[in-house]
Amino acid sequence: MTQPDLPAPEQPPYPGYDMEDSIGYLVARVRSLLMAQLTQETARFGLTSTQATMLYKLATGKCTTAADLSREYCIDASAVTRLLDRLEKHGLLIRERSREDRRTVILTLTAEGRAQAMRMPEIFVACADRLLRGFTPDEVALLKDMLRRVIANSEIG
């Protein structure tokens, strides 16, 4: 059985623009690859990559509330709540009302949550190292510097 002839692809709307060569696409693709690798590794602990990185952010004190996590991850509060519900269900964190401001809920890791968080840096480093195979230390430092500058530019507005 033969396949019918497919129509020729349409001319791209912006000739000369290759989305797969754009900074946005490349950064998003790298993030997807990194998160997929992290999820493969963190799955043995019953965690997704996002849950694992959130646990670590909480363990370091860089985030202490759902609002902090929502801002840090650029995801809506309801998505953060669902992620936290799963972590709480697994006994990895507890939620407590702030004594200073009853509207604020403070996130605190349990002993098991802290133990899980402390396992993560080794996994984070191993996954990044796999993606950066063949890069020199200077190239890695330059890449980090450029990414920090992009982040800083986004914060300027």
Side-chain angles (χ1 to χ4, degrees):
M1 184 189 268
T2 61
Q3 294 275 341
D5 288 335
L6 296 175
E10 290 185 33
Q11 183 72 355
Y14 296 102
Y17 175 77
D18 180 4
M19 186 178 85
E20 292 180 1
D21 195 40
S22 74
I23 295 294
Y25 173 83
L26 293 170
V27 169
R29 182 76 176 125
V30 168
R31 182 189 186 284
S32 294
L33 293 169
L34 180 59
M35 297 307 270
Q37 280 193 19
L38 284 174
T39 293
Q40 276 186 316
E41 295 295 323
T42 59
R44 65 181 172 201
F45 301 108
L47 299 169
T48 66
S49 56
T50 303
Q51 291 168 333
T53 59
M54 283 185 176
L55 274 180
Y56 193 72
K57 286 279 188 185
L58 292 168
T60 62
K62 292 190 175 166
C63 293
T64 60
T65 67
D68 292 341
L69 291 168
S70 181
R71 276 189 299 276
E72 181 70 21
Y73 286 82
C74 298
I75 56 178
D76 64 79
S78 62
V80 170
T81 298
R82 288 189 298 275
L83 285 161
L84 295 175
D85 287 345
R86 286 186 218 115
L87 294 174
E88 188 174 37
K89 182 179 174 188
H90 287 89
L92 301 176
L93 68 83
I94 56 173
R95 296 171 175 154
E96 300 174 297
R97 291 258 170 227
S98 168
R99 290 186 185 103
E100 292 82 36
D101 181 353
R102 301 289 299 155
R103 297 171 296 175
T104 302
V105 176
I106 304 298
L107 305 171
T108 306
L109 295 183
T110 62
E112 178 61 22
R114 187 162 293 287
Q116 292 279 33
M118 292 304 112
R119 292 182 182 109
M120 295 305 121
E122 183 178 338
I123 293 170
F124 299 160
V125 170
C127 288
D129 284 351
R130 278 196 298 275
L131 288 177
L132 296 171
R133 258 185 306 233
F135 283 64
T136 67
D138 286 344
E139 289 171 325
V140 172
L142 179 62
L143 177 60
K144 286 180 179 180
D145 182 57
M146 289 191 288
L147 292 171
R148 285 186 193 106
R149 287 171 54 197
V150 170
I151 292 166
N153 286 342
S154 77
E155 292 168 353
I156 292 169

